[in-house]
């Protein structure tokens, strides 16, 4: 999974190799060592090109795979670094330019803590959640259970009405 930088995604910041099969432990999640050139947001070029007057929603996920799924559905999205959910100041400045920012982190303990921390930095961001009550961990699980059409409809309702 490439983490790109630059207006056209012309610079590679980081390459992450993720196993395609489920692993029983976190150690086996990565197929090989991560090559760290810099920690930034996944899909960073979308923010570098963001127009501060745009009211279109941007969803921030905890997983690169959830981000890619949303982008595949035509939704603007980026993802935080999953190793500690850290934001560097440059990325925080870019996120603060987004008028309609939505946090959609995992519905587990780490995701809940991440949401609380990000709400401190980005108090105007809305939180997309509640699917944890359905026993689902993340947007990918929700998509898998609902199917593409129903998932996209539910997501669009949230983005219009501010409730999931």
């Amino acid at each position: 999974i490439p983490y790109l930088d630059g207006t056209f995604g012309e610079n590679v910041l980081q390459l992450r190799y993720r196993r395609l099969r489920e692993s029983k432990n976190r150690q086996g999640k990565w197929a090989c060592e991560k090559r760290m050139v810099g920690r930034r947001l996944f899909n960073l070029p979308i923010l570098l090109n963001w127009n501060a007057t745009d009211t279109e929603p941007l969803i921030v996920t905890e997983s690169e795979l959830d981000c890619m799924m949303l982008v595949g559905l035509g939704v603007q999205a980026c993802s935080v670094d999953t190793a500690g959910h850290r934001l560097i100041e440059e990325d925080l400045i870019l996120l603060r330019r987004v008028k309609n920012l939505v946090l959609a982190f995992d519905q587990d303990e780490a995701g809940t803590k991440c949401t609380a921390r990000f709400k401190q930095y980005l108090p105007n961001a809305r939180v997309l959640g509640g699917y944890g009550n359905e026993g689902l961990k993340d947007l990918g699980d929700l998509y898998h259970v609902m199917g593409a059409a129903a998932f996209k409809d539910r997501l669009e309702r949230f983005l219009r009405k501010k409730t999931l």
Side-chain angles (χ1 to χ4, degrees):
I1 299 174
Y3 276 60
L4 303 175
D5 187 13
T7 303
F8 303 104
E10 66 271 17
N11 300 315
V12 177
L13 292 175
Q14 175 181 176
L15 295 174
R16 297 177 74 154
Y17 301 88
R18 199 168 163 147
R19 289 192 188 280
L20 296 179
R21 289 188 218 146
E22 287 294 317
S23 175
K24 294 187 187 332
N25 62 45
R26 294 185 72 73
Q27 295 302 112
K29 184 176 181 180
W30 298 101
C32 70
E33 190 174 324
K34 298 176 222 176
R35 177 177 164 250
M36 302 302 284
V37 181
R39 285 190 191 269
R40 298 295 303 265
L41 293 169
F42 177 73
N43 202 16
L44 179 61
I46 196 170
L47 277 171
L48 294 173
N49 293 303
W50 196 267
N51 182 338
T53 63
D54 196 344
T55 59
E56 182 175 2
L58 174 76
I59 299 178
V60 183
T61 67
E62 188 177 332
S63 157
E64 301 96 340
L65 297 176
D66 287 342
C67 175
M68 287 187 276
M69 174 196 63
L70 291 171
V71 170
L73 293 171
V75 177
Q76 303 292 336
C78 63
S79 174
V80 300
D81 176 25
T82 56
H85 317 294
R86 297 181 195 106
L87 275 179
I88 65 169
E89 188 63 30
E90 292 89 341
D91 292 345
L92 190 54
I93 290 167
L94 291 171
L95 288 171
R96 286 182 175 144
R97 291 179 34 218
V98 178
K99 291 183 185 238
N100 191 356
L101 189 65
V102 178
L103 306 176
F105 299 132
D106 290 357
Q107 301 291 287
D108 57 9
E109 184 178 346
T112 301
K113 288 179 182 177
C114 185
T115 300
R117 191 169 54 254
F118 275 60
K119 280 295 285 179
Q120 289 178 341
Y121 301 132
L122 304 159
N124 295 328
R126 296 185 290 146
V127 176
L128 192 157
Y131 44 91
N133 299 334
E134 301 170 43
L136 305 172
K137 182 182 174 212
D138 58 26
L139 291 178
D141 289 347
L142 186 61
Y143 176 90
H144 180 72
V145 168
M146 296 185 77
F151 174 83
K152 191 164 183 183
D153 180 62
R154 184 171 175 176
L155 183 61
E156 287 172 355
R157 278 196 326 267
F158 168 81
L159 296 174
R160 277 194 313 269
K161 297 181 182 180
K162 301 186 182 184
T163 59
L164 185 63

